[in-house]
Amino acid sequence: MKVKVLCRNPDDYVRETTKDIQRVPRNYDPSLHPFEVPREFTRALNATKLERVFAKPFLASLDGHRDGVNCMAKHPTSLATLLSGSCDGEVKMWNLTNRECTRTLQAHEGFVRGMCARFCGTSFFTVGDDKTIKQWKMEAPSYGEEEEPLNTILGKAVYTGIDHHWKEGIFATCGQQVDIWDEQKSSPIRTFSWGVDSFSSVRFNPVETHLLASCASDRSIVLYDMREATPLKKVIMKLRSNTLCWNPMEAFHFTCANEDYNLYTFDMRRLDAPKIVHMDHVSAVLDLDYCPTGTEFVSASFDKTVRIFPKDQGRSREVYHTKRMQHVICVKWSSDSKYILTGSDEMNIRLWKAKASEKLGVLSQREKAALDYSEKLKEKFQHHPQVRRIARHRHLPKAVYSLSKELHVMKEARRRKERNVRKHSKPGSVPVVTEKEKHVVTVVK
């Protein structure tokens, strides 16, 4: 005689603690759930609305400077440390956790033009209007000690930018020319110039560390290899580029911030046209910085806004602004990719969230699961008109909004004129120039 025993595993239906929700057995057969898609759409719509409700990106304002913030530098090993230099020659070190200034030093006479930290984080370098390069200790002097630089180099002209090598004791400065310096020597080990008046910024490649690039006053972006005696090549744009930044994950790609309100992402192997033109700003773009993951970058503009762009899209996904914030001069993305720091004309450094609606602090397991589910739903329905309209909507300052509409009208008028000229000309005499090719004049090798 066979006896069939009903066997139930308590793990399938018993809660681990009384605070857990009751486990409900579910059959996922689609035929049993005819309203699953409408239900998911409603949830996606609600999740998108809630995201906009909770979008409060501004976290803190660090005030203490007595003049506009001109440059900033991140600490390579400490997330909580930030360096900032102002237009009165003052350098401040900030503790971002406590949101307070931990150290102030009078570094230069006139502007602090650029600053960077050594790759190991033991010291940092500053350049200023007084034609000097100074190296400072990262830790504050002990009680009774004078605040003195470790090393001072007096140059022949004003230096406008500085950047440190990612692995070696070498740094590069730019001014009338691009100089490569060894930390142990008081004269440059290599000098690059290409018939240019002055350079505004210089950047080492974080992946291929021997490569560097600079923006020049003759509207060109010049590429160099430290192992070569001469520059590699340069691309000349229609208008001047203010600064550039390499993608930390893709060695060949860099993005430059231009005076014509756009940003351009180039592949250094093919400079005759940018890969992507990033448009949205309504005034000159002054600075940019990449996210450590290399998927996005943040840009600061003269139009008093900060925008976040995905690296492969032409339009920004986010725009930050406040009533008090004036022209944004410099911007940095924190090394944990969660925060953005901006320095502006009105002497303030502001701390923002990289994801405007992100909840800070420790999340419980259920919160994480709910957020992941919402993200998936938003991704699934992102192209639905109702969801897309809510997700894309941003409030802009009136000046920015009216200027963007005006620029749109001007662009449309130019396009219409080109179409009319082509229509009334001999076939083939007026070539079609793509938006990407319009902004590059030539490439010189």
Side-chain angles (χ1 to χ4, degrees), residues 48-324:
T48 310
K49 287 175 182 175
L50 283 173
E51 183 192 31
R52 298 316 310 148
V53 167
F54 290 120
K56 293 183 170 48
F58 181 72
L59 291 175
S61 173
L62 310 174
D63 48 346
H65 276 294
R66 291 173 293 181
D67 208 334
V69 182
N70 200 44
C71 54
M72 293 193 295
K74 291 184 287 191
H75 194 291
T77 54
S78 165
L79 280 176
T81 308
L82 176 78
L83 298 158
S84 64
S86 71
C87 299
D88 60 356
E90 201 172 59
V91 169
K92 282 184 180 287
M93 192 181 285
W94 303 88
N95 183 327
L96 296 176
T97 312
N98 302 332
R99 295 171 190 174
E100 63 184 16
C101 176
T102 55
R103 183 179 168 199
T104 304
L105 48 107
Q106 188 63 40
H108 296 276
E109 292 169 21
F111 283 42
V112 180
R113 289 287 173 188
M115 62 197 317
C116 65
R118 200 172 188 274
F119 65 93
C120 59
T122 52
S123 62
F124 64 93
F125 295 82
T126 61
V127 293
D129 273 355
D130 52 6
K131 303 182 185 177
T132 56
I133 306 166
K134 292 185 181 180
Q135 183 180 4
W136 307 82
K137 257 191 187 168
M138 195 62 85
E139 61 261 14
S142 53
Y143 182 74
E145 258 187 69
E146 284 288 315
E147 187 78 82
E148 289 289 327
L150 291 171
N151 192 11
T152 304
I153 300 167
L154 182 61
K156 293 175 184 172
V158 173
Y159 297 105
T160 54
I162 186 168
D163 197 30
H164 202 283
H165 195 282
W166 290 79
K167 292 177 182 171
E168 298 169 20
I170 291 171
F171 63 92
T173 60
C174 63
Q176 286 186 353
Q177 59 205 17
V178 172
D179 296 319
I180 311 292
W181 304 76
D182 191 319
E183 287 178 6
Q184 309 303 322
K185 296 179 181 174
S186 59
S187 57
I189 54 173
R190 188 160 285 124
T191 296
F192 297 109
S193 60
W194 199 341
V196 180
D197 294 343
S198 64
F199 294 88
S200 58
S201 75
V202 62
R203 289 278 184 278
F204 273 102
N205 191 321
V207 186
E208 292 292 334
T209 50
H210 289 292
L211 297 176
L212 61 154
S214 68
C215 296
S217 61
D218 69 341
R219 317 189 310 280
S220 64
I221 299 162
V222 193
L223 299 176
Y224 312 90
D225 190 329
M226 257 172 34
R227 298 161 293 190
E228 301 276 332
T230 54
L232 296 175
K233 51 184 170 180
K234 68 175 174 179
V235 53
I236 299 173
M237 311 281 288
K238 282 272 176 72
L239 285 178
R240 186 166 65 93
S241 294
N242 287 313
T243 185
L244 59 83
C245 190
W246 294 92
N247 188 325
M249 289 292 154
E250 295 169 0
F252 293 113
H253 296 161
F254 65 89
T255 303
C256 65
N258 205 282
E259 284 282 333
D260 65 0
Y261 315 168
N262 298 339
L263 298 110
Y264 302 96
T265 297
F266 282 95
D267 186 326
M268 64 172 283
R269 296 164 294 186
R270 200 172 158 270
L271 290 173
D272 49 350
K275 272 170 62 65
I276 298 165
V277 181
H278 307 276
M279 311 176 181
D280 258 349
H281 282 295
V282 296
S283 192
V285 190
L286 301 179
D287 197 14
L288 81 149
D289 193 31
Y290 261 96
C291 170
T293 57
T295 54
E296 295 180 318
F297 63 86
V298 60
S299 64
S301 171
F302 201 75
D303 63 12
K304 308 175 187 177
T305 63
V306 177
R307 287 184 184 267
I308 300 171
F309 291 86
K311 64 157 189 186
D312 48 6
Q313 288 176 28
R315 296 287 175 185
S316 60
R317 74 157 172 87
E318 196 63 83
V319 56
Y320 295 159
H321 54 86
T322 69
K323 271 187 180 177
R324 291 182 180 180

Side-chain angles (χ1 to χ4, degrees), residues 325-343:
M325 187 160 73
Q326 297 303 306
H327 312 307
V328 192
I329 309 291
C330 50
V331 68
K332 285 281 179 248
W333 201 310
S334 70
S335 302
D336 61 350
S337 81
K338 283 194 169 187
Y339 304 101
I340 286 164
L341 293 137
T342 61

Side-chain angles (χ1 to χ4, degrees), residues 382-426:
Q382 64 183 337
H383 299 298
H384 193 283
Q386 281 175 274
V387 174
R388 192 175 64 204
R389 185 183 64 82
I390 296 165
R392 285 185 56 199
H393 181 75
R394 296 289 180 278
H395 282 292
L396 286 172
K398 195 175 178 182
V400 174
Y401 182 69
S402 56
L403 256 173
S404 61
K405 283 210 298 191
E406 192 180 314
L407 286 169
H408 180 70
V409 170
M410 288 159 66
K411 201 173 280 184
E412 278 304 311
R414 273 200 295 272
R415 278 193 194 133
R416 196 167 57 247
K417 185 178 178 182
E418 276 176 31
R419 275 200 304 271
N420 290 343
V421 169
R422 195 171 294 114
K423 195 161 60 176
H424 295 93
S425 299
K426 187 178 158 188

